[in-house]
Amino acid sequence: MIEIGKYNELRILSKTEAGLNLTDGDKLVVLPYQYVPNGVEIGDNIKVFVFVQKDGRLTGTTQKAYAEVGDFAFLKVVSDGDDGVFMDLGIDKDVYVPDREQKRPMQKGYKYVVYLYLDESNDRLLASSKLYDFVEEDGFDFEEGDEVSLLITEETDLGFNAIINNTYIGLLYNNEVFDNIQPGEMRKGWIKKIRVEGKIDLTLQPSGYGHILDSKEMMLSELKKSGGVIELGDKSSPEEIYHRFQISKSAFKKTIGSLYKERLIVLSDDSIRLITDDEAE
């Protein structure tokens, strides 16, 4: 079955004036000659992105699309249309966003996170910035502490909303963000908390004992590189700590606390110092 708005593996059936006829054994897709790779022959299989022309014809392209139907993506508005805008999909076929599917009016030249879907009446490829209409709200395939893929969607008063694993939506609170992040960025993140009402809290920092072990090794290595002293301590700001180590202040305090208990470092408000062999004796 041919999936419109996605990549399909199809067999080359025949040649026409317009291009190659491709088939899945049932329907035909025309691949214009400008998108035909060198060296392919009738009977070969070829992977193409399939979309519907205005006249209803199925057309294929070997160009690389930025996203497929069912994906959330960060796309740029390239032109205005009747009652909507067109966004660049990376192929010679822009995706249409009707006015009714715009959370806020979209402007030419700007980029927005949208969801790609098909118009049920004609299989036309459409997009929407009303993301909450398309995310799953239950049946999570992860647990607290799991690593996930994040697409940052927008900044809010509380922090940043993010699409999780191309399926769910969660929130990075401001006090969990120590880096300069922007809508449209892909980030590695972790599930901090799944609330009773189904809302998901996110963090850019891994948690748990395994992470502390990794951080301890990193901290000891950095201390040795720095001559045994690092000018950061319990009174240092979260931003200073993240800039130096890319970990949260909470993780930093757990790490240095563990190293202190092992009598490997000396702590002060504004620095940590590696204990020398003579001091250890």
Side-chain angles (χ1 to χ4, degrees), residues 7 35 47-49 51 60-65 90-93:
Y7 282 94
Y35 307 129
K47 189 176 183 179
V48 296
F49 184 90
F51 57 90
T61 179
T62 52
Q63 294 174 298
K64 177 61 178 176
I91 62 176
D92 292 337
K93 175 68 175 180

Side-chain angles (χ1 to χ4, degrees), residues 229-243:
V229 178
I230 291 177
E231 301 297 331
L232 288 173
D234 191 54
K235 298 296 184 181
S236 299
S237 71
E239 291 75 18
E240 290 176 309
I241 292 168
Y242 186 86
H243 180 73

Side-chain angles (χ1 to χ4, degrees), residues 106-129:
M106 293 179 166
Q107 300 180 43
K108 183 179 178 180
Y110 288 84
K111 300 183 76 172
Y112 305 86
V113 176
V114 294
Y115 179 82
L116 271 64
Y117 68 100
L118 293 180
D119 187 323
E120 294 181 355
S121 65
N122 57 17
D123 284 335
R124 185 184 185 187
L125 186 59
L126 300 176
S128 173
S129 61

Side-chain angles (χ1 to χ4, degrees), residues 2 17 39 46 55 68 75 78 107 113 147 151 182 210 212 214 233 247 252 260 270-272 276:
I2 292 176
E17 291 184 2
I46 187 170
D55 60 8
E68 300 179 77
L75 304 180
V78 291
Q107 300 180 43
V113 176
E147 180 181 318
L151 170 61
Q182 299 293 330
I212 298 303
D214 292 340
I247 60 175
F252 173 77
Y260 177 76
D270 301 304
S271 69
I272 51 178
T276 65

Side-chain angles (χ1 to χ4, degrees), residues 9-251:
E9 190 84 19
L10 303 176
R11 181 170 56 87
I12 301 174
L13 182 66
S14 60
K15 295 181 179 180
T16 69
E17 291 184 2
L20 299 181
N21 278 331
L22 312 179
T23 184
D24 64 342
D26 180 21
K27 295 182 179 180
L28 291 180
V29 173
V30 176
L31 177 64
Y33 282 117
Q34 70 253 43
Y35 307 129
V36 177
N38 294 328
V40 297
E41 303 288 346
I42 292 176
D44 291 347
N45 286 346
I46 187 170
K47 189 176 183 179
V48 296
F49 184 90
V50 177
F51 57 90
V52 178
Q53 297 281 22
K54 288 184 178 179
D55 60 8
R57 287 182 299 118
L58 293 179
T59 302
T61 179
T62 52
Q63 294 174 298
K64 177 61 178 176
Y66 296 140
E68 300 179 77
V69 163
D71 287 342
F72 294 89
F74 191 50
L75 304 180
K76 183 178 181 179
V77 176
V78 291
S79 64
D80 297 319
D82 296 333
D83 302 318
V85 298
F86 290 93
M87 306 187 85
D88 179 19
L89 192 55
I91 62 176
D92 292 337
K93 175 68 175 180
D94 296 330
V95 58
Y96 187 63
V97 189
D99 287 341
R100 67 178 185 277
E101 290 296 335
Q102 297 176 31
K103 182 177 180 180
R104 287 181 289 273
M106 293 179 166
Q107 300 180 43
K108 183 179 178 180
Y110 288 84
K111 300 183 76 172
Y112 305 86
V113 176
V114 294
Y115 179 82
L116 271 64
Y117 68 100
L118 293 180
D119 187 323
E120 294 181 355
S121 65
N122 57 17
D123 284 335
R124 185 184 185 187
L125 186 59
L126 300 176
S128 173
S129 61
K130 296 182 177 180
L131 307 183
Y132 278 93
D133 291 345
F134 301 95
V135 294
E136 299 290 337
E137 297 181 348
D138 51 28
F140 305 131
D141 57 359
F142 45 68
E143 299 176 350
E144 292 180 5
D146 283 358
E147 180 181 318
V148 291
S149 172
L150 302 178
L151 170 61
I152 310 300
T153 64
E154 63 178 345
E155 187 173 5
T156 71
D157 292 339
L158 295 176
F160 289 85
N161 288 331
I163 298 296
I164 307 165
N165 292 346
N166 198 50
T167 306
Y168 310 97
I169 197 164
L171 176 64
L172 281 163
Y173 285 93
N174 284 320
N175 62 359
E176 292 288 343
V177 178
F178 310 105
D179 198 4
N180 180 28
I181 63 175
Q182 299 293 330
E185 284 189 52
M186 294 295 303
R187 289 286 185 129
K188 181 167 64 174
W190 284 264
I191 303 298
K192 183 176 182 180
K193 185 176 182 62
I194 301 174
R195 298 184 178 275
V196 175
E197 65 272 24
K199 295 186 181 299
I200 304 168
D201 295 346
L202 302 167
T203 177
L204 297 178
Q205 308 297 321
S207 59
Y209 184 65
H211 174 53
I212 298 303
L213 289 178
D214 292 340
S215 297
K216 284 168 60 178
E217 294 299 321
M218 176 271 293
M219 194 73 67
L220 289 172
S221 175
E222 290 297 314
L223 277 164
K224 292 173 183 177
K225 291 178 185 177
S226 303
V229 178
I230 291 177
E231 301 297 331
L232 288 173
D234 191 54
K235 298 296 184 181
S236 299
S237 71
E239 291 75 18
E240 290 176 309
I241 292 168
Y242 186 86
H243 180 73
R244 183 69 168 79
F245 298 115
Q246 284 73 58
I247 60 175
S248 67
K249 185 168 183 177
S250 174

